[in-house]
Amino acid sequence: MARPIWHGAINFGLVTVPVDLYSATEDHTISFRQFERGTSDRIRYKRVNERTGKEVAYSDIVKGAEIGGGEYVIIEPEELDRIAPGRSRTIDISSFVDLDEIDPIHYQKTYWLSPSKEEYGKAYGLLLQAMRKTNRAGVATFVMRGKEYLTAIRAGDDDLLLLTTLLFVEDIRDPAKEIKSLPEITTARGKELDLAISLIDSMVDDWNPHDYHDTYTQRVEQLIEDKKQGREVVAGEEPSSPTKVVDLFEALSKSVESRKKRRSGSAEEKVDLGSLSKAELDKMARELDIKGRSKMSREELEAAVAAASGARRAS
Amino acid sequence: MTCVDCVAGVEHCHGTLVGSEGCTEPGCEDLSADRHPLVIEAAEVDSPRHLVATAA
Ligand SMILES: [Zn+2]
Ligand SMILES: [Zn+2]
């Protein structure tokens, strides 16, 4: 069981709901330790006083802000807390917006909010259901570890409120200042544009995150396993070469053709539902618009998909 | 001095997070910034004034 990363309360009009904040995501990539080559000596970072060279304990560290000329003002954690009166422990919802209005460039990290005591469940549930009904996200700010966060709070599928931290506009760079030569977009030729659009259309699919897995990390794990077993290490595939600009029209035509062939081929295949994973069945259930699919077990999904696709074939 | 996060019983680490590279706390596994009150930016790591990397 994870421990909350923060305690506080959601302020929503005159309603206050005490909540705990938990990380909803984690980085699953393999974290390597560092060694000096040729030795079994670990590399460690040490936090030392630069004058004495001695290690400094957490409780003995204060923060200093440079004010120029090599001078610093020292600030204690309590002083930082004090200038955020009341706010340091509350998530203040200031407005409700349509989630689609928020450009994904702002999204940072997502957390779960859960009522900090059972008795707050009623108010929490009310807020969750009202947000679900209106399909709106609450825009809120709060302070955690001496930093103010802009956030969007929404009702998740698991009957939990989700809080996603958002970048402030000040955090988003101006491309004109960062990119050496911005692309000059000339109006695309009608035929090429039509072909490119039909290629996109032929690749349209529902977003199903279960279709995507971190194959690179899987390969790193395999590499580690192989080296452990003393097996030969196999190199990865070469990346495909980019299309030559002159071939744009031809490349597009060929792509559309091959997509069409693939589509007609796969439609004739008969699917053995028993061999599919829950994620694959879930995807089919979504395509067939089967109600209540998110709460079904693998077996229930298989039965529902079989029934729905059978009915569709018969009609 | 007592640590406010220890008192509040929230998840945190007493090490200093070094960019996304590591943490000064030997057993620290979760290198997310939100559980580290003390973070040193990767750019600062190049400066030898704050930290030394040593072979243990
Ligand atoms: Zn602590
Ligand atoms: Zn740490």
Side-chain angles (χ1 to χ4, degrees):
Chain A
M1 283 272 143
R3 271 207 299 171
I5 206 121
W6 187 83
H7 298 300
I10 305 175
N11 268 349
F12 158 53
L14 294 173
V15 184
T16 301
V17 188
V19 286
D20 292 338
L21 190 75
Y22 293 87
S23 285
T25 60
E26 65 186 3
D27 184 0
H28 73 285
T29 51
I30 295 157
S31 64
F32 289 106
R33 306 279 176 268
Q34 299 172 34
F35 292 84
E36 181 171 354
R37 184 177 288 112
T39 75
S40 55
D41 302 335
R42 285 273 298 271
I43 302 296
R44 279 202 209 292
Y45 290 113
K46 268 191 187 168
R47 197 168 51 191
V48 300
N49 176 318
E50 66 170 320
R51 185 175 56 80
T52 65
K54 289 210 176 99
E55 273 200 75
V56 185
Y58 178 71
S59 56
D60 290 329
I61 293 179
V62 285
K63 293 179 180 179
E66 192 158 17
I67 49 168
E71 289 199 67
Y72 292 82
V73 283
I74 301 299
I75 298 167
E76 295 286 344
E78 301 78 56
E79 292 178 292
L80 290 172
D81 264 359
R82 230 175 288 141
I83 54 166
R87 303 182 59 200
S88 62
R89 289 283 159 228
T90 60
I91 299 170
D92 299 306
I93 299 181
S94 56
S95 62
F96 286 90
V97 300
D98 189 335
L99 204 62
D100 292 340
E101 280 180 63
I102 303 172
D103 186 326
I105 198 170
H106 288 274
Y107 291 145
Q108 274 191 297
K109 193 178 165 175
T110 297
Y111 299 84
W112 291 306
L113 288 166
S114 78
S116 53
K117 276 189 189 150
E118 224 178 288
E119 60 200 90
Y120 307 130
K122 198 173 167 234
Y124 180 93
L126 175 71
L127 180 58
L128 182 119
Q129 289 167 63
M131 284 168 87
R132 185 174 283 159
K133 268 233 154 106
T134 54
N135 203 19
R136 297 257 162 194
V139 176
T141 52
F142 81 109
V143 176
M144 173 169 70
R145 307 211 191 294
K147 190 172 144 85
E148 180 161 34
Y149 290 89
L150 174 66
T151 70
I153 299 169
R154 65 187 199 277
D157 292 337
D158 302 322
D159 280 352
L160 276 171
L161 288 173
L162 297 175
L163 177 147
T164 300
T165 55
L166 304 173
L167 293 171
F168 287 103
V169 275
E170 294 92 323
D171 299 325
I172 295 165
R173 289 172 162 183
D174 175 4
K177 281 188 194 152
E178 308 295 333
I179 299 174
K180 223 183 285 163
S181 60
L182 285 173
E184 246 178 74
I185 307 296
T186 52
T187 310
R189 285 201 299 149
K191 262 190 178 173
E192 277 172 2
L193 189 61
D194 288 347
L195 262 180
I197 290 171
S198 69
L199 177 57
I200 291 173
D201 285 343
S202 74
M203 295 169 76
V204 165
D205 208 346
D206 286 320
W207 163 240
N208 185 8
H210 295 289
D211 289 347
Y212 305 92
H213 298 282
D214 179 357
T215 55
Y216 180 64
T217 292
Q218 287 167 6
R219 262 179 265 170
V220 174
E221 280 165 355
Q222 188 60 54
L223 171 72
I224 293 166
E225 189 54 35
D226 286 351
K227 292 202 84 160
K228 195 172 128 195
Q229 306 287 340
R231 279 199 293 264
E232 195 187 335
V233 176
V234 189
E237 283 168 55
E238 286 291 310
S240 58
S241 50
T243 310
K244 280 187 221 131
V245 177
V246 280
D247 288 329
L248 189 57
F249 191 81
E250 208 194 318
L252 281 170
S253 316
K254 278 186 186 159
S255 307
V256 173
E257 271 312 301
S258 80
R259 290 294 309 180
K260 275 187 192 154
K261 270 185 210 150
R262 229 193 289 177
R263 281 261 146 142
S264 60
S266 66
E268 285 153 20
E269 274 169 35
K270 203 162 181 299
V271 191
D272 173 17
L273 295 177
S275 70
L276 296 181
S277 70
K278 183 164 187 278
E280 288 164 330
L281 286 166
D282 191 50
K283 191 179 169 213
M284 290 180 79
R286 189 142 37 87
E287 279 161 6
L288 292 162
D289 202 25
I290 293 167
K291 300 276 176 283
R293 58 186 180 269
S294 62
K295 301 234 161 19
M296 289 182 186
S297 68
R298 211 213 74 96
E299 280 61 41
E300 289 167 329
L301 271 174
E302 186 182 326
V305 167
S309 55
R312 186 173 279 194
R313 241 177 274 136
S315 66
Chain B
M1 193 189 296
T2 49
C3 165
V4 284
D5 291 322
C6 283
V7 172
V10 293
E11 174 57 30
H12 66 294
C13 171
H14 284 186
T16 294
L17 185 67
V18 185
S20 53
E21 284 291 299
C23 177
T24 57
E25 198 71 11
C28 179
E29 294 285 338
D30 183 352
L31 302 179
S32 35
D34 52 21
R35 55 184 296 279
H36 286 91
L38 297 177
V39 178
I40 190 160
E41 297 304 324
E44 281 180 79
V45 178
D46 295 333
S47 149
R49 301 192 328 193
H50 310 278
L51 287 155
V52 283
T54 53

